């Protein structure tokens, strides 16, 4: 989020205005930034997807990863503004002019009136059903007019609904922001949780954003008014059990509830086809003659600067009397006697003189008091950081922050510290993450103090009470994971403490986070040693993460962990013993007596005959050793008779145990994936050697909001698991 300094406003030229207009930043909501126009009763709205664009010297440029997405979205935003200017529907806030400048795409509009978000801030409780019925009729009429003109709002939420004058008008129109998901690796600030339909979170762009998206948001608005609670986020898949539960203490007619549930259908095809069909499905009664509406606060009438109110006629004030003039004194009670009045006047004069004599020196010696300001008190900035004034408060800037943490100080402000001190888990987790980031800088001399602060805030967030809110549960899991990693790895120059890290990682792993499950498995594997139970538990954790099937780094690391555990648990191969053969002694060769042969008479060899080769003599055969009989093969041993000992009773079978196994699967958020959940749950039980008792869908995740969604398949298994 970028805020313009107040002393250097933007100067832009709009069509129809002779002089350039000076703009001052007011606030940034979602992907829209609003400016006030000096000297004109107008506001300028700029398309500003935070994180995807940067502003340097009044020029707005997109980051390289989002350059194509920003160019396409900017063209669509400009075309949408010019269409609203040309059509000018009565159900939408009028667009006076559209300008394309180096500073971005701007719409010029009148200031918005009372929004439904502002009204709900003062009235957080449930709204009466007649008021909701009147609101639904007018909202359906507004959406029907826009859809007939080919205009889709695209970002309907309480801040985009104006309820001035008993009518409904829409503002804050938006184009498709899904192409930015891949570049930013997040959906934060681009979609409104609870009011955005499932297709608005589809980073693969498999489903178009059409009129049915507005009908989903309209149904979420009615649910918020009737229940007084924020609608559950639909950012991944169809609503699982417990996500769309209507409270029992709030009476809502069954027909109205059924119509709202039809509008909140995950699949686009299951929702009503048009705004008129959506209104008919709500089964509202006929509109009464006297329509009830929201309790709008009536502002006090402003007095004109030259309009002096008349004096009251009952007791007119006395006329102004000069100091040296003599006039009768008029009192509201009986006048005392002249003697008593003189004494009273003298005593009053002396008291006044004494008071003046005492107070005047103190007033003259006291320095002038500084003017009072409504600026919020800021906490002390960490070393290397400083607070900067911004449009909506104070922002923390750190000059030596690492490159991977530049986004975190952008979202960290003085209000975060105040909310963390008040006990808000999300703020405490964010503050702990900031101090952990600072503690990770090896060149920082204060890294030990930052690590202490990070551990303190993360422990507070992890131990916060569960109030049933999804942001609180998410903050507790994130804080437990970060705290466990800091304790296990010894971050910030501290010694590792695996014993304290294990319960925190178990707390985070219980919330169906794949990274927490992987971290717990790695800790158990490192501390297992010869403990077979801990190795088996680590293997089960690795198996859960390895079944993600998304090819992510978490899955690859889990597969490597499985290979390590299997290799450590596999016994070494046993070589079979070969029976040794009895060694046979070879007989010693028998000495042969040699006698000198008689020399034959020498004969003269004929020259013509060739020399004959000598005759081959067979080698001598070994004779058996002297004094030993030849060895005979030993006879086979006779079979032993069967044992007559009594047979032992069979060992008792181990008792069956019941446990829960879970895994994540990739799903399409607009389709029925119950069969895939069933198969994944059975596979999870089979991998741990158990039989399936039941399978249900659990929590849902959307890793980085890109391309696919994940649903946790929770299976109840039974077997002889140790």
């Amino acid at each position: 989020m970028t805020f313009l300094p107040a002393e250097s406003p933007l100067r832009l030229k709009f069509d129809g205005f002779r002089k350039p207009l000076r703009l001052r930043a007011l606030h940034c909501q979602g992907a829209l930034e609003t400016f006030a126009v000096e000297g004109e009763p107008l506001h300028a709205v700029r398309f500003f997807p935070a994180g995807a664009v940067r502003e340097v010297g009044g020029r707005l440029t997109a980051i390289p990863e989002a350059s194509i997405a920003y160019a396409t979205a900017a063209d669509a935003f400009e075309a949408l503004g010019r269409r609203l200017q040309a059509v000018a529907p009565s159900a939408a806030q009028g667009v006076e002019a559209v300008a394309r400048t180096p500073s971005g795409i701007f719409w010029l509009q009148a200031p918005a009136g009372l929004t439904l978000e502002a009204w709900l801030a003062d009235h957080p409780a449930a709204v009466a059903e007649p008021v909701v019925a009147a609101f639904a009729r007018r909202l359906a009429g507004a959406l029907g007019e826009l859809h007939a003109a080919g205009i889709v709002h695209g970002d309907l939420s309480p801040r985009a609904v104006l309820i001035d004058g008993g009518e409904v008008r829409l503002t804050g129109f938006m184009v498709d922001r899904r192409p930015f998901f891949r570049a930013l690796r997040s959906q934060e600030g681009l979609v409104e949780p609870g009011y955005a339909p499932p297709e608005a979170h589809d980073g693969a762009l498999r489903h178009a954003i059409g009129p049915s998206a507005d009908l989903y948001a309209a149904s979420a608005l009615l649910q918020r008014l009737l229940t007084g609670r924020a609608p559950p986020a639909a950012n991944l898949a169809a609503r699982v059990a417990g996500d769309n539960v209507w409270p029992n203490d709030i009476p809502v007619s069954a027909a109205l509830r059924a119509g709202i549930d039809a509008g909140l259908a995950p699949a686009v095809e299951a929702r009503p086809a048009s705004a008129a069909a959506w209104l008919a499905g709500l089964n509202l009664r006929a509109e009464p003659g006297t329509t009830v509406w929201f309790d709008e606060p009536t502002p006090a009438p402003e007095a004109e600067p030259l309009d002096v109110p008349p004096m009251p006629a009952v007791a007119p004030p006395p006329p102004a009397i000069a100091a040296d003039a003599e006039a009768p004194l008029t009192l509201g009670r009986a006048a005392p006697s002249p003697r008593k009045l003189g004494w009273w006047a003298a005593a009053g004069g002396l008291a006044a003189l004494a008071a003046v004599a005492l107070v005047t020196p103190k007033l003259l010696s006291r320095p002038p008091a500084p003017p009072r300001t409504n600026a919020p008190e800021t906490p002390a900035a960490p070393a290397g950081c400083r607070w900067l004034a911004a449009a909506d408060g104070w922002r923390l800037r750190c000059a030596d922050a690492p490159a991977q943490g530049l986004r975190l100080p952008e979202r960290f402000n003085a209000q975060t510290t105040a909310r963390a001190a008040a006990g808000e888990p999300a703020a405490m987790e964010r503050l702990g993450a900031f101090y952990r980031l600072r503690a990770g800088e090896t060149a920082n001399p204060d890294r030990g103090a930052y690590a202490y602060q990070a551990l303190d805030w993360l422990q507070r967030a992890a131990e916060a009470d569960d109030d049933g809110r999804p942001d609180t549960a998410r903050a507790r899991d994130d804080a437990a994971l970060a705290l466990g990693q800091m304790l296990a790895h010894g971050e910030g120059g501290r010694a590792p403490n695996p014993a304290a890290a294990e319960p925190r990682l178990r707390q985070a792993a219980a919330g169906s986070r794949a990274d927490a499950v992987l971290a717990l498995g790695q800790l158990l594997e490192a501390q297992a040693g010869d403990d077979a139970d801990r190795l088996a538990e680590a293997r089960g954790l690795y198996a859960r993460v390895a079944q993600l099937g998304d090819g992510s780094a978490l899955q690859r690391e889990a597969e490597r962990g499985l290979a390590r555990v299997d290799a450590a648990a596999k016994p070494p191969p046993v070589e079979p013993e070969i029976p040794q053969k009895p060694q046979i002694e070879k007989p010693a060769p028998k000495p042969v007596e040699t006698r000198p042969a008689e020399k034959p008479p020498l004969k003269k060899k004929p020259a013509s005959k060739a020399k004959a080769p000598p005759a081959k003599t067979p080698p001598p055969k070994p004779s058996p050793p002297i004094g030993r009989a030849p060895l005979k093969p030993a006879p086979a041993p006779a079979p032993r008779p069967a044992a007559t000992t009594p047979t032992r009773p069979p060992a008792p079978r181990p008792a069956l145990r019941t446990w829960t196994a879970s895994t994540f699967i990739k799903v399409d958020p607009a389709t029925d994936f119950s069969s895939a959940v069933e198969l994944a749950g059975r596979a999870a039980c089979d991998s741990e050697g158990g039989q399936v008792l039941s399978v249900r869908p659990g929590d849902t995740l959307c890793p980085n909001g890109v391309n696919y969604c994940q649903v946790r398949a929770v299976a109840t298994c039974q077997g002889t698991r140790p």
Side-chain angles (χ1 to χ4, degrees):
M1 186 180 302
T2 303
F3 294 92
L4 298 177
E7 60 272 8
S8 58
L10 283 175
R11 296 177 62 88
L12 298 179
K13 181 65 176 177
F14 282 87
D15 296 337
F17 293 88
R18 296 181 180 179
K19 297 180 180 180
L21 302 180
R22 294 168 61 88
L23 309 182
R24 291 187 180 273
L26 291 180
H27 55 79
C28 187
Q29 294 178 340
L32 294 179
E33 190 171 11
T34 304
F35 297 82
V37 181
E38 294 184 356
E40 298 287 343
L42 295 171
H43 282 176
V45 180
R46 175 172 65 173
F47 178 62
F48 191 88
V53 292
R54 299 169 181 169
E55 186 174 12
V56 180
R59 180 178 293 273
L60 199 67
T61 57
I63 61 177
E65 298 85 356
S67 58
I68 299 177
Y70 175 70
T72 305
D75 294 340
F77 187 73
E78 182 182 8
L80 178 60
R82 297 194 182 279
R83 182 165 182 79
L84 286 172
Q85 182 183 7
V87 177
S90 59
Q93 188 183 12
V95 177
E96 302 292 338
V98 179
R100 189 184 189 101
T101 67
S103 300
I105 310 297
F106 289 84
W107 293 0
L108 206 60
Q109 295 179 317
L114 179 65
T115 63
L116 184 59
E117 182 182 33
W119 189 88
L120 290 175
D122 298 331
H123 305 77
V127 183
E129 188 169 335
V131 180
V132 177
F135 172 76
R137 294 188 186 94
R138 285 153 181 76
L139 180 60
L143 292 177
E145 181 183 358
L146 292 174
H147 295 167
I151 300 174
V152 177
H153 187 282
D155 195 17
L156 192 60
S157 65
R159 67 168 177 246
V161 179
L162 307 177
I163 55 175
D164 280 335
E167 296 295 333
V168 169
R169 288 185 300 114
L170 303 180
T171 184
F173 290 81
M174 185 46 60
V175 296
D176 193 357
R177 288 91 63 206
R178 296 177 297 175
F180 296 103
F181 291 175
R182 185 178 297 275
L184 300 182
R185 309 296 295 175
S186 174
Q187 299 179 7
E188 184 178 358
L190 296 176
V191 294
E192 188 68 18
Y195 300 96
E199 60 266 20
H201 301 268
D202 181 20
L205 307 179
R206 290 168 292 188
H207 308 281
I209 303 296
S212 60
D214 292 345
L215 298 180
Y216 183 98
S219 302
L221 284 173
L222 297 189
Q223 188 186 42
R224 165 62 183 88
L225 294 176
L226 290 170
T227 61
R229 304 177 184 179
N235 58 340
L236 292 182
R239 298 175 184 272
V240 297
D243 275 353
N244 191 20
V245 177
W246 292 80
N248 298 325
D249 55 346
I250 298 177
V252 180
S253 61
L256 180 57
R257 182 184 303 182
I260 294 176
D261 289 339
L264 293 174
V268 178
E269 299 80 8
R271 300 174 201 158
S274 62
W278 174 73
L279 181 61
L282 298 178
N283 295 319
L284 301 178
R285 299 178 182 177
E287 186 172 5
T290 304
T291 304
V292 291
W293 195 241
F294 297 94
D295 183 17
E296 299 181 8
T298 56
E302 298 181 359
E304 297 183 2
L306 298 179
D307 184 13
V308 180
M311 295 295 180
V314 178
I321 302 175
D324 55 350
E326 295 181 0
L329 182 61
T330 304
L331 299 177
R333 56 184 173 85
S337 61
R339 182 176 58 82
K340 293 183 179 180
L341 180 61
W343 284 107
W344 280 103
L350 290 176
L353 290 175
V356 171
L358 291 174
V359 176
T360 301
K362 296 182 179 180
L363 293 177
L364 294 178
S365 61
R366 182 180 298 176
R372 292 185 178 181
T373 58
N374 296 327
E377 297 182 0
T378 58
C385 305
R386 60 193 180 97
W387 293 104
L388 298 179
D392 64 341
W394 295 84
R395 296 280 163 177
L396 190 66
R397 290 291 186 273
C398 302
D400 56 345
Q404 65 270 18
L406 289 180
R407 289 184 181 177
L408 186 60
E410 291 286 341
R411 300 173 304 181
F412 182 82
N413 50 27
Q415 287 77 12
T416 304
T417 304
R419 292 196 300 268
E424 182 179 338
M428 291 190 291
E429 186 274 330
R430 180 174 294 182
L431 194 58
F434 169 76
Y435 281 114
R436 182 191 179 191
L437 173 69
R438 302 290 290 162
E441 304 171 17
T442 56
N444 194 337
D446 299 329
R447 55 186 301 216
Y450 285 130
Y452 177 80
Q453 292 285 344
L455 292 173
D456 184 24
W457 285 113
L458 290 175
Q459 185 172 2
R460 293 186 191 181
E463 295 176 352
D465 296 334
D466 190 3
D467 53 3
R469 298 176 52 185
D471 55 346
T472 300
R474 189 183 312 111
R476 293 174 72 250
D477 292 345
D478 294 346
L481 175 59
L483 183 59
Q485 290 175 342
M486 288 192 67
L487 294 173
H489 302 157
E491 298 181 12
R494 304 172 66 90
N497 190 357
E502 182 177 349
R504 296 304 177 187
L505 292 179
R506 289 187 181 277
Q507 175 186 351
S512 73
R513 290 195 48 160
D515 49 356
V517 174
L518 179 63
L520 179 59
Q522 292 173 344
L523 179 66
L524 294 178
E525 180 190 1
Q527 301 297 323
D530 297 334
D531 193 347
D533 294 340
R534 295 177 72 87
L535 277 178
E537 186 178 1
R539 189 189 186 286
L541 296 173
Y542 285 145
R544 288 173 55 185
V545 184
Q547 291 177 358
L548 286 176
D550 55 357
S552 61
L554 294 177
Q555 179 188 352
R556 294 193 298 270
E557 185 64 28
E559 292 173 351
R560 288 192 289 267
L562 275 177
R564 290 194 305 268
V565 173
D566 292 342
K570 186 177 181 180
V574 179
E575 298 181 358
E577 296 182 0
I578 302 175
Q580 297 182 358
K581 297 181 179 180
Q583 186 176 3
I584 301 175
E585 296 181 2
K586 296 182 179 181
K590 186 177 181 181
V592 180
E593 295 180 0
T594 56
R595 295 179 181 180
E598 297 178 358
K599 295 182 179 180
L602 296 177
K603 295 183 180 181
K604 190 177 181 179
K605 298 180 180 180
S608 59
K609 292 184 179 180
K611 185 178 179 180
K616 295 182 180 181
T617 58
K621 297 182 179 181
S623 59
I626 302 175
R628 288 188 180 181
L631 295 178
K632 297 181 180 180
R640 295 181 179 180
T644 59
T645 57
T647 58
R648 296 180 180 179
R653 295 183 178 181
L656 297 178
R657 293 188 56 190
T658 303
W659 69 91
T660 301
S662 62
T663 183
F664 287 94
I665 58 172
K666 293 191 297 184
V667 298
D668 185 352
T671 59
D672 183 14
F673 50 86
S674 57
S675 59
V677 172
E678 182 74 20
L679 293 176
R682 292 185 177 277
C685 279
D686 293 341
S687 64
E688 299 185 13
Q691 295 181 355
V692 180
L693 296 181
S694 63
V695 179
R696 61 177 179 85
D699 300 333
T700 53
L701 294 176
C702 189
N704 302 323
V706 180
N707 294 336
Y708 58 86
C709 304
Q710 291 183 356
V711 175
R712 181 185 181 191
V714 181
T716 303
C717 311
Q718 188 178 43
T720 59
R721 181 183 180 185

